[in-house]
Amino acid sequence: MTDSSLRLVWVYPDLLSTYGDQGNVLVVERRARQRGLSVERVDVRSDQPVPTSGDIYLIGGGEDRPQRLAAERLLRDGGLSRAAANGAIIFSVCAGYQILGHEFVNDVGERQAGLGLLDVTTVRGEGARCVGDVLADIDPNLGLPQLTGFENHQGVTHLGPTARPFARTVFGNGNGTGDGTEGAYNDTVFGTYMHGPVMARNPQVADLMLKLALDVNALPPTDDRWYEALRAERIAAASQPA
């Protein structure tokens, strides 16, 4: 795989990078390099245009006002939408996930237009905030083991007919709809509420993004002992009664 190269784009680290979500791009970059891949990482701040030539785009979570600003700027810029139309892989977390949908409720209580890259709509939940560890079984079509993460959100995200649940919760709230769904995906666009960062807890998710970007069914093995130790520890902690 040494002849292959990847361009990773970390979108708006100045607005969307809470709870260590930048760790996702670090994990993808490291796991690509461990396979002998040449990697170019591009960090795109909110005052810069989003390039359309990336292979994998990663977007993190953020507070309410930065989320609104990010959505406005991404809509004006159009680069991320054009990248999606070109078949790029996009992985988003929490506020980033909501932005990829049709709309969400912003910091001033108004419905804010999203990018419409996922068939989801987010409203503000009326009950308790969704906070705590999550265990979830990923969609069997994605072929990954049980996921672990941490959620902290007030949003309730409803999936439309063309969006598939990324996972179904064993423990935790996920999308907050009460139906056990967690996150959503459609083709090459993914969203989840799981922080952690989720790819450090679940390196198989990073590998899935790499396989999709490279259009391969398998990757050379790597030393996953550290990742698996963290993953096992978090699964055990979340499984224990409070």
Side-chain angles (χ1 to χ4, degrees):
M1 301 182 72
T2 55
D3 292 334
S4 301
S5 62
L6 285 173
R7 193 178 199 206
L8 307 181
V9 182
W10 176 236
V11 179
Y12 291 2
D14 54 329
L15 295 178
L16 301 174
S17 189
T18 58
Y19 300 117
D21 289 332
Q22 189 173 9
N24 290 328
V25 71
L26 296 174
V27 171
V28 175
E29 181 179 13
R30 175 172 175 78
R31 293 182 74 78
R33 294 190 188 280
Q34 286 178 315
R35 273 69 179 238
L37 297 169
S38 173
V39 179
E40 178 190 5
R41 174 177 158 185
V42 180
D43 289 9
V44 181
R45 293 178 60 85
S46 59
D47 60 351
Q48 299 173 318
V50 177
T52 60
S53 57
D55 297 299
I56 300 175
Y57 293 75
L58 296 117
I59 312 172
E63 301 298 327
D64 290 348
R65 184 172 182 273
Q67 179 187 20
R68 171 169 57 86
L69 296 175
E72 292 170 349
R73 294 175 189 186
L74 287 170
L75 279 169
R76 286 198 305 267
D77 177 78
L80 189 60
S81 295
R82 290 193 295 272
N86 292 336
I89 314 302
I90 302 175
F91 187 88
S92 59
V93 178
C94 202
Y97 168 36
Q98 294 180 6
I99 288 171
L100 295 193
H102 297 300
E103 68 177 31
F104 60 92
V105 178
N106 65 22
D107 58 309
V108 294
E110 298 174 345
R111 292 189 297 181
Q112 176 88 32
L115 301 185
L117 300 181
L118 280 172
D119 186 15
V120 303
T121 300
T122 301
V123 298
R124 191 176 296 270
E126 298 297 330
R129 190 174 181 87
C130 299
V131 181
D133 277 309
V134 178
L135 291 179
D137 295 325
I138 199 165
D139 185 324
N141 290 318
L142 299 176
L144 301 184
Q146 191 175 65
L147 303 177
T148 169
F150 178 85
E151 63 182 351
N152 185 352
H153 60 96
Q154 189 68 43
V156 174
T157 299
H158 299 275
L159 276 59
T162 67
R164 297 178 62 96
F166 182 55
R168 292 192 176 272
T169 57
V170 175
F171 181 87
N173 296 283
N175 288 323
T177 53
D179 61 359
T181 62
E182 202 296 314
Y185 78 100
N186 182 14
D187 196 14
T188 60
V189 181
F190 297 80
T192 180
Y193 274 113
M194 287 187 282
H195 302 280
V198 67
M199 290 188 185
R201 292 193 183 200
N202 309 276
Q204 298 89 349
V205 175
D207 288 352
L208 174 63
M209 301 301 116
L210 291 172
K211 287 188 286 188
L212 290 171
L214 296 168
D215 194 21
V216 297
N217 294 322
L219 297 169
T222 63
D223 184 353
D224 284 346
R225 287 175 293 180
W226 182 90
Y227 293 102
E228 287 305 319
L230 172 63
R231 186 169 171 277
E233 187 272 333
R234 294 318 309 159
I235 289 175
S239 301
Q240 294 173 359

